[in-house]
């Protein structure tokens, strides 16, 4: 009878609602546990639980719901941390597909998954695919967030680095300068500004625009020294580029000053007999040779060989090159050149 049918439907609907709530509670519990595993670095367990969340969300909301896309995105993030890039690409692609259906093709969350996808393609050196993903993300963010949004600048920075890695230095410079212009609009984000400026300086070096490289790298240095300690790899990398730019621009004394600062930090962190110290001493030796100060060049190279003889094999290319350098310097010294 009709009345009984309606009552039965009501009972089924109530039961279905209770089941959904139970599944939602289970998803929340899984989310909490997975996040905790993620914080503690237990990535395999975190991935396992995040994948369970995907299945729970499908049960609750259907295969193409936005919550499923979010869950897929989270799984991809964990696999990126684990460097399981094939799995990460698979989950990123599925996250993009589901989010486009559940949220719309131009939703900002779609752009977030595209950024994640581009990052994985970069890690696997599939730069053409990475560029496609970043450009689609850029278009969405520009349309939805505006041309000056920090998220737009973030994508431009990634695109600039990709162009540089492909040897497209002018295109890299344009993207990076656009990214910097956006970053300068914010009082925050010094980390991003410092990174972009360092990348601009690196591109300028590649284009042999040494004075402009120095300007960018020196500003990056000033920002980064407020963000990092003296021995931080990022800060040290910027200092190395800055010293090199000064040496190429003919300012050898300034290059030496910076290399000595780098060496002091390396000694403080690693001790005097570390390969990193030997590499900085090698660069100092080159500068001294340029200045025709062969006595100091020999002192540096002798220290380099002392370190390398303990840390490297006799057939190591760096060790062999250092021996050639010492022989060359000895030749100049025997000729009586100071």
């Amino acid at each position: 009878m009709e009345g009984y049918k309606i009552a039965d439907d009501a009972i089924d609907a109530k039961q279905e609602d209770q089941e959904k709530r139970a599944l939602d509670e289970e998803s929340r519990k899984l989310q909490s546990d997975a996040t905790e595993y993620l914080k503690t670095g237990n990535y395999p367990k975190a991935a396992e639980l995040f994948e369970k969340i995907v299945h729970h969300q499908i049960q609750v909301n259907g295969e193409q719901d936005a919550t499923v896309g979010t869950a897929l995105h989270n799984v991809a993030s964990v696999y990126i941390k684990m460097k399981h890039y094939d799995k990460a690409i698979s989950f990123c692609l599925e996250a993009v597909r589901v989010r486009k259906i559940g949220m719309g093709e131009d939703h900002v969350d779609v752009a977030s998954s595209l950024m994640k996808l581009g990052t994985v393609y970069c890690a696997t050196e599939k730069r053409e695919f990475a560029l496609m993903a970043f450009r689609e993300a850029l278009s969405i963010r520009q349309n939805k967030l505006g041309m000056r949004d920090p998220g737009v600048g973030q994508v431009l920075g990634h695109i600039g680095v990709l162009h540089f890695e492909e040897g497209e230095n002018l295109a890299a410079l344009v993207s990076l300068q656009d990214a910097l212009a956006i970053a300068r609009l914010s009082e925050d984000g010094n980390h991003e500004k410092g990174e972009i400026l360092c990348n601009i300086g690196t591109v300028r070096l590649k284009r042999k625009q040494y004075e402009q490289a120095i300007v960018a790298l020196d500003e990056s240095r000033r920002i980064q020294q407020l963000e990092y300690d003296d021995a931080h790899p990022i800060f040290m990398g910027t200092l190395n580029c800055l010293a090199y730019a000064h040496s190429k621009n003919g300012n050898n004394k300034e290059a030496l000053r910076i290399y000595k600062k780098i060496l002091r930090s390396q000694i403080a962190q690693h001790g005097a007999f570390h390969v990193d110290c030997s590499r900085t001493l090698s660069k100092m030796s080159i500068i001294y040779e340029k200045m025709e100060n062969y006595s100091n060049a020999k002192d540096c190279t002798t220290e380099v060989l002392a370190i390398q003889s303990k840390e490297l094999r006799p057939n190591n290319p760096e060790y062999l090159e250092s021996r050639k350098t010492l022989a060359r310097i000895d030749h100049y010294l025997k000729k009586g050149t100071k």
Side-chain angles (χ1 to χ4, degrees):
M1 294 176 63
E2 191 68 19
Y4 289 110
K5 185 176 186 299
I6 293 171
D8 288 343
D9 286 347
I11 292 168
D12 290 342
K14 184 177 180 181
Q15 183 177 349
E16 184 180 350
D17 187 53
Q18 288 173 341
E19 289 172 355
K20 280 189 175 184
R21 282 201 300 272
L23 285 169
D24 285 343
E25 288 171 8
E26 180 66 17
S27 290
R28 282 193 289 272
K29 176 70 167 57
L30 287 168
Q31 181 78 32
S32 176
D33 291 345
T35 303
E36 193 60 34
Y37 282 124
L38 196 60
K39 287 178 182 177
T40 58
N42 190 342
Y43 300 136
K45 193 64 180 176
E48 177 189 332
L49 296 187
F50 276 126
E51 286 199 51
K52 283 186 178 180
I53 293 169
V54 173
H55 297 305
H56 276 283
Q57 293 294 355
I58 290 172
Q59 280 184 273
V60 175
N61 299 309
E63 292 184 356
Q64 298 177 347
D65 189 77
T67 57
V68 177
T70 300
L72 289 163
H73 180 95
N74 290 338
V75 176
S77 298
V78 181
Y79 280 127
I80 290 172
K81 288 182 179 293
M82 294 171 69
K83 298 184 179 181
H84 291 182
Y85 296 129
D86 287 343
K87 286 186 176 181
I89 288 171
S90 177
F91 277 97
C92 279
L93 287 168
E94 188 64 7
V96 170
R97 186 189 71 81
V98 172
R99 281 182 154 179
K100 281 183 175 181
I101 295 170
M103 299 176 166
E105 295 204 355
D106 61 347
H107 196 281
V108 290
D109 286 350
V110 174
S112 295
S113 290
L114 285 165
M115 287 295 293
K116 193 77 68 177
L117 179 61
T119 301
V120 188
Y121 280 140
C122 285
T124 54
E125 297 188 358
K126 297 176 180 177
R127 296 190 184 97
E128 183 180 350
F129 291 106
L131 196 55
M132 289 170 61
F134 287 146
R135 281 175 173 163
E136 188 176 351
L138 178 64
S139 177
I140 293 170
R141 287 186 175 180
Q142 285 175 330
N143 289 332
K144 288 292 183 179
L145 304 175
M147 301 295 287
R148 297 184 175 185
D149 187 84
V152 172
Q154 181 192 35
V155 189
L156 286 166
H158 283 292
I159 290 172
V161 171
L162 269 177
H163 280 307
F164 177 72
E165 290 175 349
E166 288 293 296
E168 300 163 352
N169 295 319
L170 182 57
L173 196 56
V174 170
S175 291
L176 290 168
Q177 285 176 323
D178 287 345
L180 181 62
I182 293 170
R184 288 197 191 281
L185 296 174
S186 172
E187 294 182 3
D188 301 322
N190 276 342
H191 174 81
E192 288 78 10
K193 290 175 199 171
E195 183 178 324
I196 295 166
L197 282 160
C198 183
N199 288 336
I200 288 172
T202 303
V203 176
R204 295 286 194 192
L205 278 176
K206 198 73 174 178
R207 301 189 77 203
K208 300 182 179 179
Q209 298 170 330
Y210 301 123
E211 288 188 11
Q212 291 164 295
I214 289 167
V215 171
L217 290 166
D218 196 50
E219 185 179 354
S220 177
R221 175 195 61 79
R222 291 197 303 273
I223 292 171
Q224 289 179 350
Q225 70 183 4
L226 301 175
E227 299 282 314
Y228 305 114
D229 59 53
D230 286 349
H232 195 283
I234 291 177
F235 183 60
M236 297 280 269
T238 300
L239 287 180
N240 263 301
C241 287
L242 182 58
Y244 178 74
H246 277 297
S247 71
K248 297 300 287 185
N249 203 43
N251 192 349
N252 293 318
K253 288 184 179 179
E254 182 61 16
L256 270 176
R257 186 189 69 79
I258 297 169
Y259 282 134
K260 287 177 181 178
K261 176 180 173 61
I262 293 170
L263 183 61
R264 287 194 297 271
S265 296
Q266 290 170 332
I267 291 171
Q269 184 178 31
H270 304 298
F273 280 84
H274 192 275
V275 173
D276 286 352
C277 297
S278 72
R279 287 168 183 156
T280 301
L281 285 162
S282 292
K283 293 169 186 174
M284 290 170 61
S285 175
I286 291 168
I287 302 297
Y288 280 126
E289 270 201 79
K290 285 184 178 181
M291 298 169 71
E292 298 185 357
N293 186 339
Y294 298 113
S295 178
N296 281 356
K298 181 172 182 175
D299 288 343
C300 287
T301 305
T302 302
E303 286 188 60
V304 170
L305 284 166
I307 297 168
Q308 290 178 338
S309 63
K310 291 187 176 184
E311 300 295 325
L312 304 177
R313 293 179 181 274
N315 62 346
N316 183 279
E318 288 185 49
Y319 180 70
L320 296 174
E321 186 61 34
S322 296
R323 293 190 64 172
K324 287 181 183 178
T325 299
L326 184 60
R328 183 178 64 248
I329 293 168
D330 278 336
H331 172 73
Y332 286 125
L333 286 169
K334 285 176 182 176
K335 288 172 64 176
T337 310
K338 292 183 180 180

